[in-house]
Amino acid sequence: MSTYRVVPAGSVFDRFAKHIFILPGLGVLVALVIYPTYYLIRLALSNFDLTFMTKPVFIGLGNFIQILSDTYFWGALGNTLVMASIAVALEFVFGLGMALLLNEDLRGGRIIKSLLIVPMMIPPVVVGLNFKLIFDQFGPLNDLLQRLGVSCVDWLGNPLMAKVSVILADVWQWSSFMFIIFLAGLQAIPQYLYDSAKVDGASGWRTFRFITWPMLVPSATVALTFRVMDALKIFDVVYMVTSGGPSFSTEVLSLYIYRTGFRFGTLGYASAVAVIMLILLTAIIEVIIKETRLGKRLEWE
Amino acid sequence: MKVKSKYVKHCLHYMLICSALVFYLFPIYWLIITSLKFPGDVTASPVVWFTTKLTLDNYRLLFGHTGALWGAKQYVGRSFLPSIAPYITNSIMIGVLSSGFGLLLGALLAYGIVRFRIGGSRLYNWLLSLRMIPPVVVAIPMFTVFRTLGLIDTWWAVASAHLLMSIPFSTLLLIGFFSDIPGDIMEAALLDGCTNLGAFSRVVLPLAAPGLVAVFIIAFLTSWNELLIANVLTTTAKAQTFPVYTTSFAQVERGTAWGPAAAGGVIGMVPMLISSFYIQRYLVRGLTMGAVKE
Amino acid sequence: MKNVKKWTWIIRLVILLLALTLPSSTILAKEVLRIAIMSSHGMSDSAEAIAKKFNKLYGDKIEAQVTAIGFDILLDKMLTDFTTGSGSFDVYSVGYHWIGTVGNYLYDLEEIRKKYPGVEDPNYDFKDFPPILWDTYATWKGKNIGLPFVDGTLVLFYRVDLFNKPEYKAKFKQKYGYELHMPQDGDTKFLTFKQLRDYAEFFTKGIKWRDGEQYGISLPAASGDPLLSMYAMFFGAYRRSPEGLKIFGQVDPDYGDYFTSDHRVAFDPAISDLGIKALQDYLALSKFSPNPVTRDWITSSEPFRSGLAAMFIGWGGYWPSITDPTSPVHGKVGVSVLPAPHLGGWCVAINKKTKHPKEAYIFIQMLTSKEDTKYLYEAFTETPTRLSTMTDARLKAKYPDLWVMAPSLKNPSVRPKIPVLPKLEYAMGRTLGKAWTGEMTPEVALKAVAEEWNRIVKQAGLR
C-alpha cells in the first residue's frame, strides 16, 4: 500500500540524489573559494590604491617585481617562519610532557585535564590582551623576576625578547591542543603492550622509545600538521601584544598584508603578497599532507 | 627503600603537574583579578598580586554604566566605552548563521560523500587544505566583493565569509560520524522504501545528533573567536563582533582601559568555557577535523 | 519518532533565528545623522552632548547618533567607509595628519555654505580660531574641509612636589649651576632641550625621590603615530630655527615640518646634519625614560600616572585623568610648555557622500561654536580650539593647565598632510626604532628612513 509515496525509490529525485546532496555544499564552497581566489589574482596583477582610486588598473606582474625587493616582506616572512617553527616545536614538547604526566591514574586527573584545556578555549584576542598586561615592563612577570632576584627583562622592548614573548603567548595557548591529542593517542595504546614490556624488563626510556612513541606517531603528525597550519597564519596575538614592534621584529605575514591592504589602502600590492603567502602555505601543507598520508585516513575506502 | 623511592617519584610527579597548572592557570587568574580590580591597582607599582579590594565596576562599564573608569568620581561624564551588548548580539547571530548553514550544507555533503563514495581522498585533501587558507588572504577579495555588493558591515557578509571555515569543518567531521553508523542500518532503511533524503533525515541525522550538536558548537566557537575577517568586513557596531570590540580597549586616549578590557575578556571567555564541558568528548575529533578519534 | 524530534528542533531553531534576522535588517528607522567620533573622553562626550542639543532642535526630522571608534582603527574604518561608499557615517572626527589620506572624500564646506545660504551661524566667528589651527586643521589644498574641533599640543607634565622641593632645588643648583625651574604662566622664556635633559637626568640619577625604580621622564617612541609626532617635535626645533629655515626653506602647511619647501625629506643626512642632531636629542632624553620603544601615548603615560616618573610628555587632553582624585599623583602635577611644541589635533569633517550635508554642517557648527566651546571645556575637559576659551581669565584661574595652550601655539611643528602618510609612519617606525634597540646607529637609521621616504613620496608622484 505505497500509494502515498510521492517520491518512490528509483524515481527522478533519487536518480539525482547524489547531486542533490553534494551540489549545495560544494557549490557554496566553490563560490567562496574559486571566485575570491580568481579575484585575488586579478587584484594582484593590478594597481589598486584605495586612497585615490575607485577601480583596479591592470599592471601585469609589477606588484610581484616590487615584492622581490621589498625588505619588509622578506622580514615578515622570515619572522613568520622562525616564530611559527619555534612555537610549534615548544608546543610539541610541552604537550607531550603533559600528556605523559597525566596518562597515569591520578587523583583529580579529570579535573586537571579540564583545567589544562582552558587556555585553548580563550579567544586569541583576549589572550593577546592579557599577555600585553603580563609582559609589561612593570607587569607581574618582571615583578616576579625581581622578587626572585633576577634582573628585569624588557619583554616587549627588545627585538629578541619581543619574539620570545609572542612565542610564549602562543605556546601558552596552544600546547593544550597538542596535549589533548597526545593524551587521546596515549590512552588508545593497549595495556598489554606495556605489560609485556614489563615482563621483558624494559626500562622506562626503552618502553617509551619502542612502544609508546611508535604508537603515538599518527597523533603526532596530525597534531603537528594542524598546529603548523595555524601558526603560519598567526595574527590576533601579534596584533594585540606587539602589533609587529619593536622596529618590526615581530611583524608577521598576515599582519603585513593587513597593514598594506587596509591601512595603506594599497589593495593590489597586498593581494600580490597574499598570493605569494597562499602559494607558500599550500606548498608547505601539500608536502605535509602527502608525507603524512592524512588523506588515507578515510576508513571506509 | 623501594616504597620510599616510589613515594619520591610520586611527589615529583605531582610537583611537575602543579607547576604546569600554575603556568597555564596564572594568566587566567590574572585576567580575572584584573577585571575585578579598582583602576588604581591595575597598573600599580609595585604590582598588586592579590587584593580583597574588588569591584564589579568594570563589568558595569561595559554595559553603558558610569563608573570609576579612571577612578574619576568627580568628573561627571558618561564612560565612553561603547556597550558590549550589540557586539555580543552580532557575534551570536553571525555564529549561528555561519555554523547553522555550515552544518546544513556540511551534513548534506558528508552524507553524499559517505553514501555514494565520491571524491575519495582527493576531495578530503581539498577540504582539509581549506582549513589552511589564511584569513587575511580571504579578507581582501571578500572585502572587494562585498564592497561591490554593498554588503560591507552586515551580518551576512561576515557570516558567509565564516562559511568558508564552517563548511569544510562540518563536512569532514560529519564524514567521520556518518561512517560510524553501521551500513546495515542505512541499507535497511533504503530497502524499507525510504528515499535517500528519507534515510538521511529519518535515520542518519537522528543517530548522529550528538555529533551534530558538537559540530555546531565547535563551528560556532571558531566564528566567535575569529578577528581578522570580522574586522575587515565591518565598520560599526551594526556588525562588529566581540573580538573586534576587544581590540578597541587599548586605544582609548587616556590610559588603556585595562579593567574593562579584562572584564570584556572574561565575558568573551564564558561561552567557550561553558560549552567546553559539553564538547570535551568530541574535542579531539573536532580540533583535528576527524583525523584523530578518541 | 522521538529521535526525529530531537534533531528537528535544531533545524527549527536555526530557521527561527534566520527568520528573525531578516526583518531586523530591513526595518528602516527615521532619518539618522551618523557621527563617528574618536573614542576619547572629551571628544565623544562633547559630541554626545551636542547631539542631544541638536536632537532637541531638529529631532522630529533627523536624529543625530554618535558612535565612538578607537584611535588605532579609526583611519582604517574611515578609509573603508569612504571607498566602499557605504556611507556608514555622515560626520567624522579626523586627525589633521590623516587629511591627506582621506581628503578626497571630504566635503568642501564652502560648497555647503554656498548651496544653503541660511546655514551659517552669524555668531560663529571664524576669526576666533588661531590662524595656525585654521591652516592646519581646516584647510587642505586651499579648500576648507573641516572645522577645528579639538586642539592637541604636546605639553610637559611634571611633578610640582618634586620641582618645588627646596632641598632638590638646592641640590640641582649645586650640580648643574642654574635654577631648577619650570616655566609658569607669564614666563616669556620656554625650556630648552638641554634643560629638559638635565632635569630628566637629575630625577633619574641625581637624587633619590622614591623607593624602588624612578625615572626622570616618560616619553613614547612606539612605531606609528607616537614616534612620528615625537620626532617631529625634536626636529621641528631645528627645522624652524633660522638656520633650518635657511637650509630647508619655509614650511609648506600641507607637507609639514618633515619636508623642505620643495618637498624633499628634510631630515635627510644628505641635506644637513640637523636631522641627526634632533634624533640624538630624542635618544639622549630616552635614556631617562622607561623603554620608549614599547610605549605609545597611553602606555608612556602610565608610569607617570603611577608615580614612577617625574615628567611626562603627552597631549594636553590627558590632564583631567592624570590629576583625578584617586590617582597617586593627585594634586602633585603641573603643566608646562615644551621647548618646541608639536601640534596634534582634530577637525570635524563631512563625508562627501552624505545625504544630509546641510544637517551635518549644522551639527559640526554647533559642535565648534563659540559659546559651546567654553561649555564643552568645562563639562568634558575638551581642549578648546578657540582663543576666546584659551585665554578666558575665569577659566584660566579655575584650571591650572589651560594657560599652556596659547603659548604652545607659537610656531609649533606639524606633521605632513599627504596621502602616503600611513606608509611614511610605518617606514619610520620600522627603521628608526632600530636606533633605540641598538640594531642601527642613529645616522644609519636616519639615512635609511630618508631614503625610504624619498622613494615612497616619489612613487606616489608627489614630487
Side-chain angles (χ1 to χ4, degrees):
Chain A
M1 292 300 282
S2 54
T3 39
Y4 284 102
R5 210 195 292 140
V6 186
V7 193
S11 76
V12 179
F13 177 85
D14 238 32
R15 227 181 309 142
F16 291 107
K18 208 172 169 177
H19 305 100
I20 286 169
F21 280 106
I22 301 281
L23 282 182
L26 222 48
V28 171
L29 266 189
V30 167
L32 281 176
V33 175
I34 305 291
Y35 186 71
T37 312
Y38 155 76
Y39 204 92
L40 184 74
I41 294 169
R42 229 185 67 182
L43 273 181
L45 298 173
S46 335
N47 182 13
F48 189 23
D49 189 333
L50 285 181
T51 48
F52 60 91
M53 292 163 89
T54 49
K55 273 203 184 88
V57 177
F58 184 81
I59 53 161
L61 289 175
N63 287 328
F64 291 94
I65 293 165
Q66 203 186 324
I67 287 175
L68 287 181
S69 60
D70 182 352
T71 51
Y72 298 171
F73 166 75
W74 294 108
L77 179 66
N79 287 340
T80 312
L81 293 177
V82 167
M83 295 205 300
S85 41
I86 295 178
V88 173
L90 283 177
E91 282 153 23
F92 187 90
V93 174
F94 277 47
L96 184 61
M98 281 194 309
L100 287 171
L101 279 179
L102 282 164
N103 190 30
E104 283 160 45
D105 273 332
L106 289 172
R107 208 179 295 166
R110 270 181 64 97
I111 297 172
I112 296 176
K113 190 185 152 198
S114 307
L115 286 176
L116 287 179
I117 293 174
V118 169
M120 202 170 51
M121 289 306 195
I122 300 175
V125 194
V126 178
V127 172
L129 192 89
N130 196 20
F131 272 90
K132 194 174 177 191
L133 197 56
I134 289 173
F135 285 131
D136 189 85
Q137 197 175 352
F138 307 110
L141 193 55
N142 266 345
D143 193 65
L144 181 73
L145 288 180
Q146 232 170 3
R147 273 161 209 255
L148 292 176
V150 192
S151 63
C152 282
V153 175
D154 193 1
W155 291 100
L156 302 177
N158 173 311
L160 181 68
M161 289 322 285
K163 278 199 184 83
V164 173
S165 306
V166 170
I167 291 172
L168 268 181
D170 198 67
V171 167
W172 179 80
Q173 184 168 30
W174 291 111
S175 41
S176 33
F177 175 87
M178 297 276 194
F179 158 68
I180 57 162
I181 292 175
F182 279 131
L183 195 60
L186 283 174
Q187 281 168 353
I189 300 174
Q191 186 61 37
Y192 70 84
L193 285 179
Y194 289 119
D195 291 343
S196 60
K198 216 174 219 170
V199 171
D200 291 348
S203 68
W205 165 248
R206 285 179 68 85
T207 316
F208 176 79
R209 174 71 188 79
F210 293 106
I211 297 176
T212 317
W213 179 245
M215 296 293 280
L216 268 186
V217 167
S219 328
T221 47
V222 172
L224 274 178
T225 313
F226 279 88
R227 273 311 300 148
V228 169
M229 284 184 191
D230 287 349
L232 288 174
K233 36 183 202 193
I234 183 170
F235 175 83
D236 311 28
V237 171
V238 182
Y239 183 80
M240 294 303 284
V241 177
T242 62
S243 43
S247 70
F248 293 83
S249 52
T250 54
E251 181 88 332
V252 288
L253 265 187
S254 293
L255 197 55
Y256 182 60
I257 296 173
Y258 174 81
R259 224 188 281 274
T260 36
F262 299 99
R263 175 143 274 231
F264 305 165
T266 48
L267 272 186
Y269 188 72
S271 306
V273 181
V275 166
I276 292 185
M277 182 181 185
L278 194 58
I279 293 172
L280 258 167
L281 290 201
T282 315
I284 294 175
I285 298 304
E286 274 300 304
V287 169
I288 293 179
I289 290 183
K290 221 173 213 162
E291 286 297 312
T292 57
R293 307 208 179 134
L294 272 184
K296 291 271 152 43
R297 299 183 144 264
L298 291 174
E299 286 97 357
W300 42 269
E301 255 202 344
Chain B
M1 221 22 215
K2 203 166 182 200
V3 177
K4 211 172 181 185
S5 88
K6 203 173 175 188
Y7 180 75
V8 169
K9 221 172 137 190
H10 206 67
C11 273
L12 201 73
H13 198 125
Y14 266 102
M15 263 162 67
L16 277 173
I17 291 178
C18 282
S19 49
L21 277 178
V22 169
F23 175 71
Y24 287 103
L25 295 183
F26 171 73
I28 295 166
Y29 162 76
W30 195 251
L31 186 72
I32 294 171
I33 192 102
T34 305
S35 79
L36 295 171
K37 275 181 189 172
F38 277 95
D41 288 346
V42 174
T43 51
S45 167
V47 173
V48 179
W49 288 86
F50 178 77
T51 171
T52 48
K53 216 179 82 190
L54 300 172
T55 169
L56 281 176
D57 270 4
N58 293 323
Y59 290 89
R60 269 183 228 128
L61 279 166
L62 289 180
F63 290 96
H65 291 264
T66 317
L69 180 50
W70 320 113
K73 300 268 193 217
Q74 268 187 349
Y75 167 55
V76 200
R78 187 184 55 86
S79 85
F80 50 83
L81 288 173
S83 164
I84 198 173
Y87 299 89
I88 296 284
T89 317
N90 293 339
S91 268
I92 293 175
M93 285 319 301
I94 288 168
V96 167
L97 281 174
S98 69
S99 38
F101 277 115
L103 187 65
L104 191 72
L105 297 171
L108 286 171
L109 188 55
Y111 179 80
I113 291 175
V114 173
R115 169 82 178 75
F116 304 107
R117 321 216 149 181
I118 34 176
S121 67
R122 189 172 287 192
L123 184 61
Y124 184 94
N125 278 346
W126 185 64
L127 290 173
L128 197 59
S129 68
L130 287 184
R131 190 181 185 278
M132 150 229 101
I133 295 188
V136 74
V137 171
V138 183
I140 297 172
M142 291 264 182
F143 170 75
T144 25
V145 170
F146 287 124
R147 185 181 99 123
T148 27
L149 295 175
L151 282 176
I152 293 287
D153 207 22
T154 60
W155 291 339
W156 300 103
V158 186
S160 35
H162 284 179
L163 271 186
L164 193 55
M165 304 185 293
S166 69
I167 296 180
F169 168 75
S170 316
T171 313
L172 287 177
L173 212 52
L174 288 173
I175 288 177
F177 282 120
F178 290 169
S179 46
D180 281 354
I181 299 170
D184 310 351
I185 296 185
M186 230 189 296
E187 251 144 57
L190 287 169
L191 282 178
D192 221 25
C194 269
T195 59
N196 270 308
L197 199 61
F200 171 68
S201 61
R202 264 175 255 153
V203 179
V204 176
L205 286 190
L207 282 175
L212 290 177
V213 176
V215 170
F216 181 84
I217 291 178
I218 300 179
F220 181 86
L221 297 184
T222 318
S223 161
W224 178 275
N225 281 350
E226 201 281 329
L227 165 69
L228 209 154
I229 294 178
N231 187 14
V232 166
L233 296 181
T234 58
T235 46
T236 66
K238 224 170 85 193
Q240 278 176 338
T241 58
F242 164 77
V244 183
Y245 176 72
T246 312
T247 60
S248 66
F249 286 109
Q251 297 153 2
V252 181
E253 198 187 27
R254 293 179 187 177
T256 312
W258 289 118
V266 173
I267 291 175
M269 224 163 76
V270 168
M272 310 284 297
L273 291 185
I274 292 173
S275 44
S276 78
F277 289 106
Y278 179 83
I279 54 171
Q280 223 174 51
R281 261 178 66 205
Y282 305 96
L283 205 55
V284 172
R285 240 182 191 204
L287 290 169
T288 58
M289 300 183 112
V292 172
K293 283 178 192 167
E294 223 169 346
Chain C
M1 273 327 270
K2 219 181 147 201
N3 276 337
V4 177
K5 268 184 196 151
K6 216 174 177 180
W7 70 268
T8 46
W9 71 259
I10 301 175
I11 300 219
R12 272 187 215 152
L13 194 72
V14 170
I15 291 173
L16 185 74
L17 281 168
L18 294 187
L20 280 176
T21 65
L22 276 173
S24 60
S25 55
T26 47
I27 290 175
L28 282 171
K30 69 173 160 187
E31 295 287 301
V32 176
L33 187 71
R34 293 178 204 280
I35 297 137
I37 295 286
M38 209 280 272
S39 63
S40 90
H41 232 155
M43 286 166 74
S44 46
D45 279 350
S46 311
E48 196 85 51
I50 295 299
K52 265 191 202 129
K53 205 170 157 189
F54 179 90
N55 289 340
K56 244 182 225 153
L57 293 171
Y58 309 97
D60 49 331
K61 275 172 271 158
I62 187 163
E63 198 194 329
Q65 266 177 16
V66 176
T67 306
I69 301 184
F71 175 73
D72 269 11
I73 52 169
L74 182 53
L75 177 63
D76 306 12
K77 289 297 156 205
M78 228 164 12
L79 207 55
T80 313
D81 191 26
F82 287 149
T83 54
T84 53
S86 50
S88 307
F89 296 101
D90 302 290
V91 174
Y92 270 104
S93 64
V94 181
Y96 80 80
H97 54 295
W98 294 340
I99 289 174
T101 314
V102 296
N104 283 326
Y105 301 99
L106 299 177
Y107 231 113
D108 182 356
L109 300 184
E110 199 51 51
E111 262 175 51
I112 298 183
R113 285 191 287 262
K114 265 190 200 133
K115 214 157 143 194
Y116 308 98
V119 79
E120 247 182 294
D121 173 6
N123 300 323
Y124 190 69
D125 192 4
F126 286 98
K127 292 272 173 296
D128 192 25
F129 295 115
I132 172 90
L133 294 191
W134 185 260
D135 289 346
T136 316
Y137 297 172
T139 325
W140 183 63
K141 288 189 174 172
K143 287 185 293 189
N144 173 213
I145 46 89
L147 297 176
F149 176 36
V150 174
D151 170 293
T153 35
L154 283 178
V155 299
L156 184 67
F157 294 88
Y158 67 98
R159 290 281 294 274
V160 180
D161 57 332
L162 301 180
F163 277 81
N164 286 350
K165 205 166 179 173
E167 184 198 333
Y168 298 164
K169 273 183 178 290
K171 194 142 186 214
F172 182 86
K173 182 146 192 204
Q174 181 201 335
K175 237 178 173 165
Y176 294 90
Y178 64 97
E179 290 291 332
L180 177 68
H181 172 77
M182 274 289 182
Q184 306 291 319
D185 191 9
D187 281 7
T188 44
K189 261 177 97 178
F190 284 7
L191 279 181
T192 62
F193 276 117
K194 185 184 171 298
Q195 260 175 307
L196 191 60
R197 196 163 53 241
D198 289 348
Y199 291 178
E201 187 182 51
F202 180 67
F203 283 107
T204 309
K205 296 179 190 152
I207 199 144
K208 181 108 185 109
W209 54 273
R210 78 184 292 273
D211 295 328
E213 283 167 282
Q214 59 178 34
Y215 296 90
I217 194 163
S218 177
L219 79 172
S223 70
D225 184 61
L227 181 60
L228 190 79
S229 313
M230 285 299 282
Y231 182 56
M233 179 188 95
F234 286 97
F235 183 61
Y238 292 100
R239 172 73 179 82
R240 287 175 185 252
S241 70
E243 189 195 353
L245 289 174
K246 213 171 85 193
I247 300 173
F248 307 123
Q250 288 301 318
V251 179
D252 178 337
D254 282 359
Y255 278 76
D257 285 51
Y258 277 135
F259 289 90
T260 61
S261 54
D262 56 347
H263 306 164
R264 283 175 303 150
V265 177
F267 57 74
D268 193 343
I271 298 179
S272 77
D273 62 345
L274 296 183
I276 294 171
K277 275 188 184 160
L279 184 58
Q280 273 159 348
D281 284 351
Y282 194 173
L283 287 164
L285 202 55
S286 297
K287 277 193 209 127
F288 310 114
S289 161
N291 193 347
V293 188
T294 51
R295 300 197 175 261
D296 53 27
W297 300 120
I298 299 157
T299 43
S300 68
S301 77
E302 275 161 5
F304 185 77
R305 281 169 212 273
S306 42
L308 283 175
M311 293 182 286
F312 155 60
I313 298 178
W315 302 108
Y318 285 22
W319 170 263
S321 65
I322 284 176
T323 54
D324 97 35
T326 59
S327 147
V329 295
H330 171 63
K332 302 173 184 169
V333 181
V335 177
S336 191
V337 185
L338 281 164
H342 174 74
L343 193 62
W346 298 74
C347 70
V348 267
I350 300 176
N351 187 345
K352 221 180 204 170
K353 295 241 171 73
T354 179
K355 291 189 191 84
H356 316 288
K358 187 179 164 197
E359 289 78 5
Y361 189 84
I362 292 174
F363 180 82
I364 62 172
Q365 189 171 247
M366 283 170 77
L367 190 56
T368 55
S369 73
K370 199 166 180 176
E371 63 270 31
D372 275 339
T373 301
K374 270 183 199 150
Y375 161 70
L376 295 177
Y377 175 67
E378 276 210 276
F380 309 116
T381 66
E382 190 203 273
T383 39
T385 44
R386 286 175 173 275
L387 269 176
S388 57
T389 311
M390 287 180 207
T391 52
D392 187 287
R394 183 184 66 86
L395 290 175
K396 261 166 88 171
K398 204 167 159 193
Y399 301 98
D401 62 316
L402 187 60
W403 72 270
V404 196
M405 302 207 63
S408 290
L409 291 179
K410 256 184 226 150
N411 209 14
S413 54
V414 294
R415 272 163 285 163
K417 293 194 281 184
I418 55 178
V420 287
L421 184 93
K423 273 187 207 174
L424 299 181
E425 208 177 271
Y426 177 83
M428 180 177 271
R430 184 181 192 266
T431 312
L432 207 56
K434 292 190 172 152
W436 274 267
T437 58
E439 292 161 271
M440 281 184 180
T441 64
E443 292 80 10
V444 175
L446 201 63
K447 211 172 151 221
V449 178
E451 268 167 29
E452 187 77 6
W453 275 36
N454 275 321
R455 194 180 59 73
I456 294 170
V457 172
K458 210 168 173 184
Q459 205 174 22
L462 291 169
R463 249 179 63 201

